[in-house]
Each structure stands twice: as structure tokens, then as C-alpha cells.
């Protein structure tokens, strides 16, 4: 029987004091982020099994998980939380909501709190911006700290070990473009929430792929790559739609943008779908009461919540199966915002 | 100096074992609800100051509060949570979301968890159904356990000691009815979410009061007193609207009902506002993109969240001022779902 790794072994290895190692492992203050990272790496390499801190958390069972959301005002999260809650409540688990507001630093603070607080797991739609600036290291630290993480909606591609539930975003948009093409549209623009976010990159890739297959010309100018500032995005859209050669159809990539596109069309007095067709993304029940009822790509959001929570509960209960990557299928709700054009 | 009250004193008083008292005070299992209640009452009467359990929670500072919501799918809560989070985050507090789904038993379980978990405070829109069946006792127990509670949106009138933030619901509906009267409407119906809930009773009282002042006849049949089952409510509405003598305007009492009324009008092919005027309650940004844009009573929901969280933080920090009862003013957003009738 090999000797069990102790805190002293880690301290010797890193040439620091055992108390620093202990503080790092229990997420107490007084240790630099860098050292904390090195301690966790060494602990992992040496197969260190905590017997007080992490284990006592496990034993005392906080029965609480963290839910990291990127923007709490997005109606997506209502359905998502209701799905999560349906799985957690019967198992006597609760969730702490952490709204990052698309801010990396805020997410960092929240993850550290959650680890320090002794949550038993984390559900996250992680921050990302297209650069390598994200909190992958912290998610790894949580995992090393015996706090399983499940990503939902978004992924950090550099982490291969975390379970995930996402939409088949590419296929969703490809089906949308194919439907537009079926209706005779060949001049199609797309309004992206923001480049760099996993879901948005996937949706954009689906758009490009569909255009390629269907031999639809991609006009750079008709791709709005950041609609997070609605005023700026409106300006761009008005410019594009004001020209003689303009798209006959626009594709949205979330509920905010559905509304933005409708508003812009109204301001320009373009009739929808007569003069401009709109394909929405996400679905609020009100979407079929607007004028016109919006044809939209619906995600099974509540199911996404249920599955994410179920995967997390499995990990908390000790599942050690391979990583699960669940990919869900979107549904195209055909309403009245897409017109059928006569042939060329 | 008087002798400090001990657990033994409470046990002697109630003629039970000290260990039962201890378990009751620390919310451990193995004690009946009845005994727990009596223990808290005795502890309060004898000025018992906990020195281990409750105090250690305070000292260890969970920096977490509970947020009890009545229905997580209602968009009201997105804005509310975003307001709460804006106050809590800078103070390093987090919140656990507890969705009661309008179920008294579920609320009871959540409150007990929150107390047992050592949250530092609770924000709640409490369950109520018009009977005396509610969790007032448990909210009192939380307060006695040094866990301050703030009610938002709804109140339990029998508890006089809890801070609250509510809307001036009566005035909100009175202003709505006055506006309808100004537009020439005298045949007005109202669709209530469910009788017995504080906010709904207040809105109904405002409706009756306004009708009395404006000498508008109240037709019992035009008052839908439970719209929680949309199928049943639709049937009732269709019956009422199918008659020759029918209301010219209907008032809603939440976002779900706004949509319900619009759907029913469409199914009956009644043009809005030509043949039927609608006054909404609550506001989603989509409300002004529906056909027609909905005239609605808007609550300052995000402010309600900020104020509720601020009051709670004050109590956690030890404010011992008198109970605060903050009442906010609604805003009437005049859009296009109310027609102007010509004089009689």
C-alpha cells in the first residue's frame, strides 16, 4: 500500500509552507492566485485526497449548487431555471443564482465565492469573448476541488472534461436558411448577438455552411456581428435596409434581436413580411401575438435545464462515467413573418 | 445583573428535555413542528440569546439570502432578480432561488431549508389563498431565529412586524378605470389572477372603489375571479363576450392575463380596440410590438427588487428601526389597445 499524499508532501514539492498549501486547498484568503493554481495542480498530480476541508463539505452536504447565468434579464433563463428547479427540488437541492452580466471579472468573483461557500456543483453558461480571456482555469479548479461543473448553452472548447448540454446551433440555423430558400429568399442577412460566444459562432457557422450548400451569396455587409448595443445595431440595420440592393430576409440569433429587427422594420415603415422577412430565434409566448406572428427557431430551454441539472446530480452522486455532451435539437415554428417570394 | 437565560431554563419551562430544545433551536430534525414553535415562543419570551448555533451562523456569515418566488416562469421575476442582484453583488451577498409554484407545502419546505441552511435573510412573495392557510408561523420563526424577512409584491396581513415593498395596487387599478372612463367606457370587466392573493385583492378593491366613485355599474358576471386555469378562463370570457350586452373594456391583472385576453379576442375575431378595449397589467418589452400595442399598468419591478434587497441588507446589518412599509407607484403606459368611444 502506497503512502497517502499529505499537505506536507505538496508543500515540499512546491517549496512553500504547509499552511499556505492548506489555505490554498480550503480557498481561504492570503494565498496568491498563482500559488493556489500550482497547489491544485500538484495536489492533482500527487493524487492528494483531502480529508478535512473538501471532505467535510461533502459530508455536511450543503445541498446547494451554483447557477451561473450570463444575463439574468434574458427570458431564456426563466424557462431554464424552471427546468433546473424541477430536478433539484425533489432531491432537496437548492440553487444560488449568479448573474455575470457578460463580465469576466464578475464571473471570476462568483466562481470563487461558490467554491469557497462549499456548493456541491456548478451549472454554468460561461463567459467568453472570442479571445482566450475566460475563466477556464477557475472551472478546472472547481473540478479539482471535487465540485463538478456542467456547461449549458455555451462551452469553453479548451476544457474537454466538463459535461455539457447545448443546442445543435449549426443545424438550427441551417434549417432556418433552408426554409428561407424554400420560400424563395436568396438575399439573406444575419444579426449576431456577439462574435466570440460559442452559441453565436456556431449559429454563424451554420449560416455560412447553409449559404455554401445552397449557393447563396454571403454579403459581408449584411452580417451584423455585434448587436449588444441596440442603438449601434439599429443604425447599421437601417443603413443596410435603406439601399436598393438589400436583403429580403434577416435572421435573428436571440429574443432581444427578434424585437430589435421588428422595431427597425417599423421605424423604416417596411412591412413584415411583405417587404422584409424575419426569422426569429428563441420564443416567448408573446411572439405569436406580435404583428406579424414571428416565425422562429425555438430551443427546448426547459429540457436543457432539466438535463443539465440531471447530469450535475449524477456527478454529485459520484458518476464517474465519461464526459456527457448532450446536444439538443431546435424546432422551427413557422408563423407569418416570412413571405413566399415568386421565382426569379 | 440578571442571570442569562439558558437552554435548560427553556426546557424546564416547557417540561421537555434540554436536547429537544437545542434541536428545535438549531432546526435539526427529531422535533415536532408544534414543539419547535413553543420553544421559539418561550425563547423569545425569556429573552434567550443563543450563543452557539444562531450566533455561529452569524459569525461564519453565510453571505447568502433566500429569495422565495411564487412562480418562476413569470417574467416579473427577471426584472425583480436583476434589481436584487444589483444590491447584493457589491456587498458580496448571493441569493438562493426558491420557487414555490403557488404551493403552500413547497413554500414550507423551502423556508425550513433556508432556516436550516443558515441564510442571513429571506426575501419573499408569500403563498396565500384567501383562507388562513399560509406559512405565517414559519416566517415568524425565521424572524425569531434572527433571520430577517422582507415581503415584496405580496403581504401576509397578520404579520405586522415584517418590512415590505409593494405596489400601490389599488391606486394603479383606480387610475386604469379612470382612464377607461375618460375614454367613454362604462361597461368594464376585470380578469383576476386568483382571489385571495394580496395583490389581486387590492387590485379588485381598487376596481370596485373606482366603479363606485365613477358610478359605473359592477356586473358580477364580468368579473373573472380565477384565471389560473387559462382554458376555463377562456371559456368564461368567450361566454361573456358572446352576448349582446357585453363589456366594452376588460382589465387584466398580470402579464399572463394580458396574453390570454388578446388570444380570446382573436379567437372571437373581435378587433382590439375597435370592438373590445384591453387594459394590461405588467409590461414586457414585447407588449408594444403586439397587435395592437397594449395599453398597460407598469410596475417598477426592478426598483422593487432593489428596495427589498436594501431593506434586507439593513436588517442584516442590525437596523432596529420600526418596520418599513414601502409602497411604490405604478405607471399607466397609454398605447393603442383602448379605444375612445363617442358619448352616450
Amino acid at each position: 500500500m502506497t503512502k497517502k499524499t499529505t499537505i506536507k508532501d505538496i508543500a515540499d514539492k512546491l517549496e512553500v509552507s504547509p499552511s499556505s498549501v492548506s489555505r490554498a486547498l480550503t480557498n481561504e484568503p492570503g494565498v496568491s492566485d498563482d500559488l493556489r493554481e500550482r497547489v491544485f495542480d500538484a495536489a492533482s498530480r500527487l493524487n492528494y485526497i483531502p480529508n478535512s476541508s473538501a471532505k467535510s463539505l461533502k459530508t455536511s452536504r450543503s445541498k446547494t449548487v451554483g447557477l451561473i447565468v450570463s444575463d439574468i434579464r434574458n427570458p431564456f433563463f426563466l424557462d431554464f431555471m424552471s427546468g433546473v428547479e424541477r430536478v433539484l427540488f425533489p432531491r432537496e437541492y437548492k440553487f444560488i443564482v449568479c448573474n455575470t452580466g457578460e463580465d469576466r471579472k464578475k464571473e471570476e468573483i462568483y466562481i470563487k465565492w461558490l467554491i469557497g461557500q462549499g456548493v456541491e456543483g456548478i451549472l454554468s453558461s460561461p463567459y467568453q469573448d472570442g479571445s482566450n480571456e475566460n475563466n477556464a482555469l477557475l472551472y478546472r479548479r472547481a473540478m479539482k476541488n471535487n465540485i463538478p461543473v456542467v456547461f449549458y448553452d455555451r462551452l469553453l472548447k479548451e476544457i474537454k472534461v466538463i459535461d455539457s448540454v447545448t443546442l445543435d446551433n449549426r443545424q438550427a440555423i441551417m434549417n432556418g436558411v433552408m426554409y428561407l430558400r424554400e420560400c424563395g429568399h436568396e438575399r439573406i442577412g444575419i444579426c449576431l448577438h456577439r462574435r466570440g460566444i460559442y452559441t453565436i459562432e456556431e449559429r454563424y457557422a451554420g449560416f455560412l455552411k447553409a449559404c455554401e450548400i445552397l449557393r447563396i451569396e454571403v454579403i459581408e455587409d449584411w452580417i451584423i456581428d455585434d448587436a449588444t448595443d441596440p442603438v449601434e445595431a439599429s443604425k447599421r440595420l437601417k443603413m443596410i435596409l435603406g439601399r436598393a440592393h438589400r436583403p429580403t430576409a434577416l435572421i435573428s440569433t436571440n429574443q432581444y434581436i427578434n424585437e430589435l429587427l421588428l422595431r427597425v422594420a417599423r421605424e423604416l415603415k417596411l412591412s413584415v413580411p411583405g417587404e422584409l422577412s424575419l426569422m426569429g430565434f428563441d420564443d416567448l409566448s408573446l411572439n405569436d401575438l406580435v404583428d406579424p406572428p414571428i416565425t422562429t427557431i425555438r430551443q427546448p430551454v426547459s429540457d436543457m435545464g432539466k438535463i443539465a441539472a440531471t447530469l450535475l446530480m449524477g456527478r454529485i452522486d459520484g458518476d464517474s462515467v465519461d464526459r456527457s455532451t448532450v446536444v439538443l435539437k431546435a424546432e422551427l415554428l413557422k408563423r407569418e413573418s416570412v413571405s413566399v417570394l415568386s421565382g426569379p
Side-chain angles (χ1 to χ4, degrees), chain A residues 226-241:
Chain A
D226 188 343
T228 48
D229 178 344
V231 177
E232 274 308 306
S234 280
K235 267 191 214 158
R236 279 276 316 269
L237 283 163
K238 284 177 191 169
M239 209 177 65
I240 294 163
L241 294 171

Side-chain angles (χ1 to χ4, degrees), chain A residues 19-40:
Chain A
S19 67
S20 294
V21 172
S22 169
R23 274 202 298 278
L25 288 170
T26 53
N27 278 291
E28 278 167 49
V31 185
S32 72
D33 274 2
D34 174 59
L35 176 57
R36 204 180 293 271
E37 218 49 61
R38 287 191 292 129
V39 167
F40 276 104

